[in-house]
Amino acid sequence: MLKKTLAILHARPTLKSDRLLLIAAFYLGFCLNFSLWRYTATYLDIDSLHTLAFAVSFPVLLMATILLLINLFAWPYLVKPILLALIMISSVANFMMFNYGVLLDVSMIQNVFETDTREAFALVSFTGIVWVFFTGVVPALLLTRLNIQYRPALREAGIRVASILLCGVLAWGILSVFYKDYASFGRAHTEIKHLISPINYIFSTARYLKRQSIASRDFKILDPHPKLAASHETSDETPDAAPRVLVLVIGETARASSFALNGYARPTNPQLSQEEVINFSNVASCGTATAISLPCIFSAKSRTEFSKDAEYKVQNLLDLLKLANYDILWRENDAGCKSVCDRVPTEKITVNLPSRFCDGHNCIDEALLENLDEHLATLTRNTVIVLHAIGSHGPAYYERYPEAFRQFTPDCRIADLTRCSQAEIINSYDNTILYTDFFLAEAVRMLKRFPNLKSSLLYVSDHGESLGENGRYLHGMPYAIAPDNQKKVPMIFWLSEKQAKDDRLDANCVRQHAAENAYSHDNLFHSLLGLLRVDAKPYDDRLDIFGSCRKPDTTL
Ligand SMILES: [Zn+2]
């Protein structure tokens, strides 16, 4: 009897490699994701066959993705260590997320790396030990005892490739059918991505390690002494009667194709078309999300060279302008400046401001203009005012415009886009553009009230938006495959007579270029240095939109 028991214990069960990977994907993706399924069950309203099918598709999509990934990496000799590590970490992660409500984002991974042993032991509990023993240690022990059966090399490789293709097609199929649901649910519940084990801790750890390596770098100076072109210099002692002022409006989620100025059939630009603004009809964004486009706009790097993780350790456009004696003010009404404004004065528009533009939950963009004319009235130094607008930020488009701008109806009045028709979504979105049109025209009219200033205004959106074309919604798709609606952005320029005259800048020439040429966010860094007459080492005159429209400075 004893002999028999020992024999069973010593027996090494055999399993074919593809079956092991399938079981592993099921265990990691489905079984060790308690908190993800609890979260989904809490927030997903299953009230139709479609939402039920969407709910079922989620674990299938997750398992297909995990199976695809482990098929890529788990080769003989690597299979066991990789799966052991995934099972043990996922088991602990599952316990922490389910019982303590932990989200495994980058800052949580940072805590894990920087915690001391005392702190770590404080988290150990009897329940935790039992939980990890049964969901981590036991499966791990079983795996170590397992005899994995591989086929001859070529056949094994063939099965892996077929498995990868199958998983890819399955995932693509699910995303194609349920794109609107995934985009809408994911955008409304952004924290869910930090619950998807093991993808959450793998990506957050990679991100944390990358950040650490960049954080240890020195801040990179592109030019320690940028300065105003000689004839435009002013000194601190003698205030300038006609300082140069740029109002730079960074828009949010506005797409070029919804601007009437770019040929859109609806009258979305009734106000700007009354002002003498210059419309750039063909401008490409740097990214399809704020986190990339915003720092990229202010960076000397081009889209193809730009890395959002590295850029915050490099001098940006605002740093150079500040060194060239410009006063900078960043006004924020969006989701933060992504480190771009870290070294310049910043005013955050807070939702509970006693302002008629804020309701305690949101502030519409006119809040950015409040008291700005008083500021302009007292200016004696060259100044750049950046207004970071909330623009057309979705999916709650209806929160971006006041009642008076609810002109395209019926509009979608909820953030869950799956519950609105495409026509309602487009109506809400177009109302945001209509309001942006008014907001920008108001900013231009405000600058016109100060004809003594050499003033200009440049508006550009960070990226576009999909509104249901080919089943796509929102933004953030990989640049290479993103539709033009996410990449083509509106750009508007207004130039005061005073600045045009003093800088010998030919507005008609700019207007002609704006109508004929294709530009991108890559042009902005150089064009704004040129427009503000700042000589800085990284300036490249080939990328300066205004360069060829400026007559040579005869006063030099
Ligand atoms: Zn954005």
Side-chain angles (χ1 to χ4, degrees):
M1 182 65 190
L2 182 69
K3 224 173 168 182
K4 223 172 179 178
T5 313
L6 280 174
I8 290 170
L9 279 175
H10 278 95
R12 286 170 65 89
T14 301
L15 199 64
K16 287 209 171 80
S17 63
D18 52 322
R19 286 193 193 160
L20 169 66
L21 297 191
L22 199 64
I23 294 169
F26 173 75
Y27 190 63
L28 291 167
F30 187 72
C31 303
L32 291 185
N33 257 317
F34 292 0
S35 53
L36 177 63
W37 308 134
R38 179 178 62 186
Y39 184 91
T40 313
T42 309
Y43 292 103
L44 184 66
D45 227 352
I46 300 178
D47 57 357
S48 66
L49 213 58
H50 180 84
T51 41
L52 178 67
F54 166 55
V56 172
S57 80
F58 193 9
V60 178
L61 174 66
L62 181 55
M63 286 187 281
T65 311
I66 294 171
L67 187 57
L68 190 151
L69 293 174
I70 54 182
N71 258 301
L72 286 173
F73 298 105
W75 289 89
Y77 300 108
L78 284 177
V79 170
K80 280 194 181 177
I82 286 179
L83 292 185
L84 281 174
L86 286 174
I87 290 169
M88 286 309 297
I89 300 172
S90 291
S91 164
V92 176
N94 189 31
F95 172 75
M96 300 292 286
M97 289 191 291
F98 191 75
N99 293 289
Y100 300 146
V102 166
L103 292 177
L104 288 183
D105 55 2
V106 181
S107 48
M108 184 48 67
I109 295 296
Q110 183 173 2
N111 284 340
V112 171
F113 275 93
E114 292 170 8
T115 192
D116 58 27
T117 38
R118 204 183 50 158
E119 256 183 310
F121 273 107
L123 288 171
V124 177
S125 65
F126 178 72
T127 328
I129 291 171
V130 174
W131 183 296
V132 173
F133 179 79
F134 283 106
T135 64
V137 177
V138 171
L141 282 175
L142 281 175
L143 179 63
T144 54
R145 303 287 308 147
L146 197 67
N147 188 15
I148 308 171
Q149 209 175 57
Y150 295 100
R151 296 170 181 81
L154 217 58
R155 206 169 138 64
E156 181 74 26
I159 286 180
R160 291 295 180 95
V161 172
S163 178
I164 288 167
L165 288 176
L166 209 69
C167 290
V169 169
L170 183 62
W172 179 81
I174 291 175
L175 285 174
S176 301
V177 173
F178 296 105
Y179 190 89
K180 190 179 180 183
D181 306 81
Y182 279 103
S184 190
F185 192 70
R187 192 65 55 145
H189 304 93
T190 46
E191 64 276 26
I192 197 171
K193 62 179 181 283
H194 303 305
L195 291 173
I196 305 173
S197 170
I199 292 166
N200 55 358
Y201 62 79
I202 293 174
F203 275 89
S204 297
T205 305
R207 194 81 203 282
Y208 168 74
L209 295 175
K210 192 174 173 195
R211 263 194 205 174
Q212 287 301 100
S213 83
I214 291 165
S216 61
R217 290 183 199 167
D218 290 332
F219 187 75
K220 191 171 171 190
I221 303 290
L222 301 176
D223 186 345
H225 307 296
K227 50 185 182 303
L228 276 181
S231 64
H232 301 276
E233 269 180 31
T234 51
S235 75
D236 286 350
E237 292 78 40
T238 50
D240 193 341
R244 188 178 276 100
V245 178
L246 168 70
V247 173
L248 176 59
V249 185
I250 305 293
E252 176 62 75
T253 317
R255 64 186 206 175
S257 59
S258 295
F259 266 51
L261 288 172
N262 290 322
Y264 186 45
R266 282 181 155 177
T268 48
N269 295 123
Q271 302 265 332
L272 282 175
S273 49
Q274 299 298 311
E275 304 297 333
E276 309 87 76
V277 296
I278 295 171
N279 176 54
F280 288 79
S281 56
N282 187 354
V283 180
S285 67
C286 179
T288 63
T290 316
I292 294 171
S293 283
L294 185 59
C296 184
I297 287 171
F298 291 86
S299 153
K301 293 234 170 75
S302 66
R303 180 179 72 78
T304 45
E305 300 165 320
F306 178 78
S307 153
K308 75 175 163 123
D309 287 320
E311 209 49 34
Y312 80 101
K313 296 286 277 189
V314 184
Q315 234 178 358
N316 66 27
L317 177 67
L318 298 183
D319 295 317
L320 292 167
L321 295 174
K322 192 172 140 190
L323 284 177
N325 255 332
Y326 268 86
D327 279 350
I328 315 280
L329 171 64
W330 182 291
R331 279 192 163 181
E332 177 63 47
N333 190 35
D334 200 7
C337 75
K338 314 290 174 200
S339 291
V340 173
C341 65
D342 282 359
R343 295 167 295 279
V344 298
T346 304
E347 286 176 14
K348 172 101 182 93
I349 309 290
T350 45
V351 293
N352 39 21
L353 267 183
S355 161
R356 65 200 159 108
F357 304 119
C358 302
D359 63 3
H361 177 52
N362 277 297
C363 294
I364 52 172
D365 280 328
E366 274 169 279
L368 287 166
L369 300 179
E370 273 196 319
N371 311 323
L372 212 52
D373 42 3
E374 289 157 32
H375 186 60
L376 291 171
T378 58
L379 281 191
T380 53
R381 285 165 51 85
N382 290 333
T383 299
V384 172
I385 299 165
V386 186
L387 305 178
H388 190 199
I390 196 161
S392 308
H393 198 295
Y397 304 122
Y398 67 98
E399 290 180 340
R400 309 289 161 246
Y401 50 89
E403 190 61 28
F405 289 83
R406 198 176 168 190
Q407 290 190 18
F408 302 108
T409 53
D411 54 345
C412 178
R413 306 294 296 172
I414 44 172
D416 182 355
L417 298 183
T418 60
R419 288 162 192 274
C420 286
S421 69
Q422 192 183 357
E424 288 169 334
I425 293 168
I426 291 174
N427 283 342
S428 316
Y429 184 82
D430 287 350
N431 288 335
T432 68
I433 301 295
L434 194 67
Y435 179 62
T436 296
D437 173 75
F438 167 77
F439 160 70
L440 291 174
E442 277 291 285
V444 168
R445 290 191 279 260
M446 179 185 66
L447 287 173
K448 280 183 176 171
R449 291 198 287 274
F450 299 92
N452 63 309
L453 299 172
K454 288 197 274 272
S455 60
S456 58
L457 178 142
L458 190 122
Y459 163 77
V460 68
S461 180
D462 59 347
H463 52 78
E465 185 85 323
S466 285
L467 296 173
E469 299 83 9
N470 298 315
R472 303 275 180 265
Y473 288 85
L474 304 164
H475 56 267
M477 282 180 73
Y479 201 86
I481 57 162
D484 271 359
N485 276 327
Q486 295 189 21
K487 294 191 287 197
K488 288 289 165 81
V489 289
M491 186 159 111
I492 305 284
F493 180 60
W494 174 82
L495 180 68
S496 64
E497 279 175 26
K498 173 90 177 149
Q499 183 168 354
K501 186 165 160 280
D502 285 17
D503 286 355
R504 302 166 63 79
L505 182 55
D506 181 351
N508 284 330
C509 165
V510 178
R511 192 181 301 277
Q512 196 181 342
H513 286 319
E516 292 171 358
N517 299 345
Y519 295 107
S520 75
H521 280 167
D522 288 357
N523 292 98
L524 290 171
F525 177 91
H526 308 277
S527 303
L528 293 177
L529 282 176
L531 180 71
L532 297 169
R533 312 302 291 127
V534 172
D535 284 333
K537 278 184 192 154
Y539 171 74
D540 182 345
D541 61 352
R542 291 165 304 178
L543 291 171
D544 182 349
I545 295 169
F546 309 108
S548 60
C549 293
R550 206 163 22 235
K551 298 200 181 84
D553 216 334
T554 48
T555 55
L556 281 176

